[in-house]
Amino acid sequence: MNFTRWSARLPGTQRRAAARTETGGSPAQRGESSVPAARAERLADTPAGGVDELPAREVLDRIPALVALVHGPDHRIAYVNDAYATTFGTRPIGAPAREALPELGEVGLLPLLDQVLRSSKPRTVKSRKAPGGRSYTFTCTPVSLPLGAPVGDTPGGGVLVFAADVTDHAEAAERLRASERSQRETAVTLQRSLLPQELEQPDDLRIAATYQPGGTDAAVGGDWYDVITLGGGRTALVIGDVMGRGVRAAAVMGQLRTAVRAYARLDLPPHEVLQLLDGLAAEIDASQIATCAYAVHDPNEGCLVYASAGHLPILVRDENGTIHRAGEPTGPPLGTGGWLHASGSVPLGPGSTAVLYTDGLVERRSEDIDEGVAALERALAGATGTPQVVCDRLIRALGVTADHDDDVAVMVLQQPSRTGVHADLFRNAALELLGGVEAAPRARAFATGVLASWRFPPELHDLGVLATSELVANSLQHGTPPMRLRLRRTDRRLIIEVTDGDDHLPRRRRAEPADEAGRGIAIVATIASNWGSRRTPGGGKAVWCEFALPRA
């Protein structure tokens, strides 16, 4: 057997040969050692002509890697070196590999031997754990055996099996993978704990949301969503995405979500909320930015008022099945600074469904993101059912699987179209407060008649009339025209709201015994379940209170 005929096919041999050519000779010719000290001693009797003149078997017997040579269609053993015999035991020459080399079967190498014989091309399998617990990288190289070679009774094609011990590398890689898995599990746990464990369900909307982390090879991102009840029948809806990965992104996301809930309690317009978030994001971590869409639903207006900081557009399917895409205005992501955000609106009437989502749902490396949004529009057009059903159908339609390469957050909200008995539980009544002092008794008479027609219990009826009287009196004393009284009932609460043209927000204060004024808001706050005030988009303010309805 000529060692030089197949030694060039062993891993690394060609690189070493090239290195000798470039440096002007072998390491031995340069006075250097090409093997560790122990191996150098074993090769001390190497002929002066170098490796090319050394018999192949002598070389193979001495190298520390595991070497076996098999030949023929049933891969009969022609040779195993000392390292192989030391590791797996002595093997009988001439026996078929399936019987005499069971360790190759356990690592799945026998089919590979067939492939090498058929294709005459080398094959390699990396880091396979063999019996005994050590890991090896196996290279199977085709070898042409000359007739008459003393390798068995049948001459013909042979395969050289070369196994390098990579146990240390495999264990280090496994420790690294275990560390990465642990970090990812920590990030996923943190991410999920920072998301709302149970979505708030407003009276007028039905809402569901889904979060799916990326696959095991994808680091957890900073996707989040939230639903915030503002009072007075209004609801804030938020979705965002921190442009980062891992625990740090999840931590930044948690801080932004907490800040959004705090700012939402101020009942500010959407663009003002994003303006506050923009400055905060830069303070939290100037190296990370985030996209965010913040929308407010007011059942009295029949629309979503929203602002966007670099986020993808909200999609709305109306009761006729037509898809509306929220357009401008949109600003740059949070944390970039120097931008004045603005609010826009998109219709959301009875029977409508809206979708807020992060880029993981629609972004693919092989196509433009606009194509992904268009695909989502088509999927939304045909997705019916409850909000949770719609969430699941959109996830499937966009091809999001467990091994998806990015986080995905989707929130679906619906405003039901109510008829019959359900429609009777949702009522509105409004009165323009014209004139002077006579507006107060007119408002009380209006509230008395409306609340009686809604068949409220006497106690709730009287409290509602009292709250109406105090809110109207406060507006007449401190506000400016135009003034309006609105009464609204849902299946869960009675809402009373008075608007006027003055933007000075009332505050609750302690009235002294001798004071003739200053008790109105205090009375409302005492008798109502909740109360609040906000500035209205066109100027002016709204002051409201709520009463929880007794459960049936």
Side-chain angles (χ1 to χ4, degrees):
M1 185 189 305
N2 187 351
F3 175 74
T4 60
R5 295 188 59 187
W6 47 263
S7 63
R9 297 189 179 188
L10 292 177
T13 303
Q14 294 175 344
R15 292 193 296 272
R16 291 194 296 270
R20 287 199 300 271
T21 301
E22 294 174 0
T23 57
S26 67
Q29 292 169 335
R30 298 194 308 272
E32 302 173 6
S33 175
S34 61
V35 296
R39 294 175 58 194
E41 293 177 2
R42 297 180 63 187
L43 294 178
D45 57 348
T46 300
V51 174
D52 289 342
E53 297 180 9
L54 191 68
R57 176 162 185 157
E58 187 173 351
V59 174
L60 296 179
D61 280 344
R62 295 183 179 186
I63 64 176
L66 280 57
V67 178
L69 184 66
V70 297
H71 69 96
D74 53 355
H75 313 300
R76 293 183 178 274
I77 301 175
Y79 165 80
V80 294
N81 72 345
D82 293 344
Y84 196 104
T86 300
T87 302
F88 295 123
T90 304
R91 295 294 184 262
I93 302 300
R98 190 171 300 278
E99 300 172 3
L101 299 174
E103 59 276 359
L104 298 187
E106 292 190 33
V107 297
L109 210 64
L110 294 180
L112 201 66
L113 298 178
D114 295 329
Q115 296 177 22
V116 171
L117 276 183
R118 288 195 302 268
S119 65
S120 296
K121 295 180 179 179
R123 295 285 190 271
T124 298
V125 292
K126 297 182 178 181
S127 191
R128 295 288 178 90
K129 183 167 288 190
R134 306 292 292 179
S135 295
Y136 298 87
T137 289
F138 292 88
T139 298
C140 301
T141 305
V143 177
S144 296
L145 298 179
L147 292 175
V151 296
D153 297 332
T154 305
V159 177
L160 183 76
V161 180
F162 185 92
D165 192 326
V166 294
T167 304
D168 292 343
H169 297 287
E171 291 176 351
E174 180 55 34
R175 287 193 297 269
L176 179 60
R177 286 192 294 269
S179 175
E180 291 174 344
R181 284 194 299 268
S182 177
Q183 291 182 14
R184 186 176 187 279
E185 290 170 1
T186 300
V188 170
T189 301
L190 176 62
Q191 173 86 335
R192 290 193 181 279
S193 68
L194 293 174
L195 291 173
Q197 303 305 300
E198 185 176 349
L199 288 180
E200 297 181 25
Q201 293 293 333
D203 298 359
D204 295 273
L205 298 175
R206 299 293 176 265
I207 305 176
T210 295
Y211 169 74
Q212 181 169 315
T216 54
D217 293 333
V220 176
D223 294 18
W224 94 91
Y225 55 80
D226 209 348
V227 178
I228 308 166
T229 301
L230 302 178
R234 303 167 74 249
T235 306
L237 307 136
V238 195
I239 196 160
D241 185 2
V242 176
M243 295 182 181
R245 289 289 183 268
V247 174
R248 179 60 183 168
V252 171
M253 175 274 287
Q255 294 178 76
L256 289 177
R257 176 175 174 255
T258 301
V260 169
R261 294 192 71 86
Y263 294 147
R265 299 303 178 191
L266 302 176
D267 212 344
L268 300 171
H271 66 275
E272 292 189 25
V273 172
L274 291 190
Q275 210 72 51
L276 292 171
L277 281 176
D278 185 39
L280 180 64
E283 295 178 10
I284 293 175
D285 191 337
S287 65
Q288 288 186 302
I289 59 177
T291 65
C292 181
Y294 181 92
V296 174
H297 174 254
D298 188 335
N300 297 318
E301 303 298 331
C303 67
L304 279 178
V305 179
Y306 69 91
S308 174
H311 206 78
L312 293 165
I314 300 171
L315 302 181
V316 177
R317 184 188 67 205
D318 64 22
E319 60 180 345
N320 300 317
T322 303
I323 302 296
H324 302 271
R325 181 188 297 194
E328 299 293 340
T330 185
L334 302 175
T336 55
W339 184 268
L340 290 177
H341 292 274
S343 295
S345 66
V346 62
L348 187 75
S352 297
T353 299
V355 179
L356 292 80
Y357 52 97
T358 57
D359 59 3
L361 181 65
V362 296
E363 188 173 32
R364 303 293 181 269
R365 295 179 182 178
S366 59
E367 61 185 31
D368 188 86
I369 196 169
D370 286 337
E371 297 179 16
V373 176
L376 178 59
E377 289 180 335
R378 293 190 295 271
L380 177 60
T384 57
T386 65
Q388 187 60 60
V389 169
V390 173
C391 272
D392 296 339
R393 289 181 175 177
L394 296 180
I395 290 284
R396 290 197 301 269
L398 272 294
V400 177
T401 59
D403 58 353
H404 195 58
D405 61 359
D406 196 6
D407 289 29
V408 175
V410 183
M411 181 161 60
V412 173
L413 56 122
Q414 295 176 342
Q415 180 167 343
S417 181
R418 297 181 175 89
T419 58
V421 176
H422 293 288
D424 291 337
L425 299 178
F426 292 80
R427 296 288 190 90
N428 281 282
L431 174 69
E432 300 296 331
L433 298 176
L434 304 176
V437 292
E438 68 275 10
R442 191 162 60 247
R444 285 192 295 271
F446 177 77
T448 299
V450 169
L451 298 182
S453 69
W454 289 349
R455 299 179 180 177
F456 285 148
E459 181 182 0
L460 179 59
H461 175 280
D462 294 342
L463 291 176
V465 172
L466 175 58
T468 299
S469 178
E470 295 298 336
L471 291 181
V472 170
N474 181 78
S475 182
L476 290 173
Q477 182 175 0
H478 303 288
T480 59
M483 301 179 184
R484 192 182 196 199
L485 166 66
R486 185 192 298 273
L487 302 176
R488 188 166 190 274
R489 72 154 295 167
T490 70
D491 59 343
R492 291 184 243 176
R493 73 198 77 231
L494 165 66
I495 302 168
I496 303 170
E497 183 179 82
V498 176
T499 59
D500 64 57
D502 185 82
D503 60 4
H504 178 74
L505 299 180
R507 60 185 178 87
R508 184 178 180 182
R509 64 186 180 88
R510 184 184 300 276
E512 298 299 329
D515 290 345
E516 296 182 359
R519 293 184 173 85
I521 295 299
I523 292 173
V524 171
T526 300
I527 64 175
S529 305
N530 193 16
W531 80 280
S533 61
R534 70 178 188 280
R535 292 188 174 90
T536 52
K541 66 176 179 295
V543 185
W544 54 269
C545 68
E546 297 177 350
F547 293 89
L549 301 185
R551 293 185 178 274

